[in-house]
Amino acid sequence: MATNISHSASRGTAARTAEGLGWFSLGLGVPQLLAPSLVNRVAGLRDDTRSRTAQRIVGVRELVAAAGILGTPRPVPWLWARVGGDAMDLVLLARAWARQHDSTPRLLAATASIAGVTAIDLLTAATMADRPTARRSPTTKVAAVTLDVPMEEAEAAWVALSSDLDAPGTVMFQPAPGGAGTEVHLRVEQESPVVDVARKAMGTEPYQRATDALRRFKQLVETGEIARSDAMPEGETHEHMFPRQRPAQPLEHVPA
């Protein structure tokens, strides 16, 4: 039993560490790509065209690794890719030591940091590869709405309407406090922060879809129809609002 608990803890720690490494890659890749000169100065490297180009290449690699790690529940190949990238970084730093550089203490700190991250990457990749069930845990969100009807009526309405609502996740019903109707909850899992950010921008992220479905469900149960307008004849949803978004425009001059 103790062994199983230990293995379970190792799987959970490795999965959490993997997600942290994904965000680390994202946080490192953005400045390397957009501000390579700043990264060179912080690392004590000589800032020239060659080193800036190298930083941008490494930045692209880090962003790809971040997308891979954060975009999959079991990112073992992407973790090994990070290990390979760490080895490349150590080779580049070794060359930097042989060349003229701006700051020996900062270069030493950068080298020590990369060596430490390499050890973490290697341990995390090996642990997740050795544990087939190790994976990043999905983030759970719950959308909710209160209906002014008894719970039995709400459940029956859901059975009749859910196929038309395109509702993701798992539905749960419970009496509202004080006997004021029924609370309907939709529990949705979001496994990929990267994909969810992109979906959120388009109005198709799972939690957005859940809130849209519950809004339509409440309208159908309580009024018998979905509220529509000339601007949104299909009804208000995050997805339908996305194409209508546009940059802010200055107010037109209105004569006094």
Side-chain angles (χ1 to χ4, degrees):
M1 180 65 69
T3 301
N4 291 338
I5 293 174
S6 175
H7 283 185
S8 177
S10 297
R11 289 196 296 270
T13 301
R16 288 192 297 271
T17 304
E19 184 159 347
L21 290 171
W23 289 113
F24 176 78
S25 283
L26 181 63
L28 183 61
V30 170
Q32 285 181 306
L33 186 62
L34 300 180
S37 295
L38 175 61
V39 177
N40 282 335
R41 289 195 295 272
V42 171
L45 300 169
R46 183 178 181 180
D47 186 37
D48 54 22
T49 301
R50 179 179 177 182
S51 62
R52 287 193 293 272
T53 300
Q55 288 290 358
R56 289 190 176 99
I57 292 172
V58 173
V60 171
R61 186 200 73 203
E62 291 290 342
L63 293 178
V64 171
I69 293 173
L70 297 175
T72 55
R74 184 169 165 76
V76 175
W78 296 103
L79 291 170
W80 285 118
R82 269 195 57 85
V83 173
D86 293 336
M88 184 181 81
D89 291 344
L90 291 173
V91 170
L92 292 174
L93 288 171
R95 292 179 178 175
W97 279 104
R99 299 173 58 206
Q100 183 179 359
H101 46 271
D102 287 348
S103 171
T104 297
R106 291 202 299 271
L107 183 56
L108 179 61
T111 304
S113 298
I114 295 299
V117 171
T118 301
I120 296 173
D121 285 338
L122 183 60
L123 178 61
T124 305
T127 301
M128 291 199 76
D130 187 52
R131 311 254 197 283
T133 58
R135 59 184 57 241
R136 289 178 41 254
S137 299
T139 300
T140 301
K141 289 186 177 181
V142 179
V145 70
T146 300
L147 304 182
D148 190 21
V149 297
M151 190 162 67
E152 295 78 7
E153 184 177 337
E155 292 174 339
W158 185 265
V159 172
L161 299 172
S162 60
S163 59
D164 297 326
L165 295 172
D166 188 28
T170 303
V171 67
M172 296 170 291
F173 300 86
Q174 65 183 45
T182 304
E183 289 184 356
V184 185
H185 299 256
L186 266 179
R187 184 181 298 272
V188 294
E189 292 185 351
Q190 301 172 282
E191 292 194 355
S192 169
V194 173
V195 174
D196 285 338
V197 167
R199 287 178 175 173
K200 196 166 189 176
M202 296 183 292
T204 59
E205 180 252 354
Y207 181 74
Q208 291 175 323
R209 289 173 51 213
T211 57
D212 288 339
L214 289 181
R215 185 189 306 111
R216 294 195 301 272
F217 181 56
K218 179 179 176 67
Q219 292 170 355
L220 287 171
V221 171
E222 294 184 347
T223 70
E225 61 181 1
I226 295 175
R228 306 176 192 275
S229 66
D230 292 339
M232 292 188 176
E234 65 282 330
E236 180 181 336
T237 66
H238 288 87
E239 184 176 5
H240 290 124
M241 283 190 288
F242 172 73
R244 295 175 170 84
Q245 295 176 356
R246 63 175 185 174
Q249 303 291 324
L251 292 174
E252 295 182 2
H253 175 69
V254 180

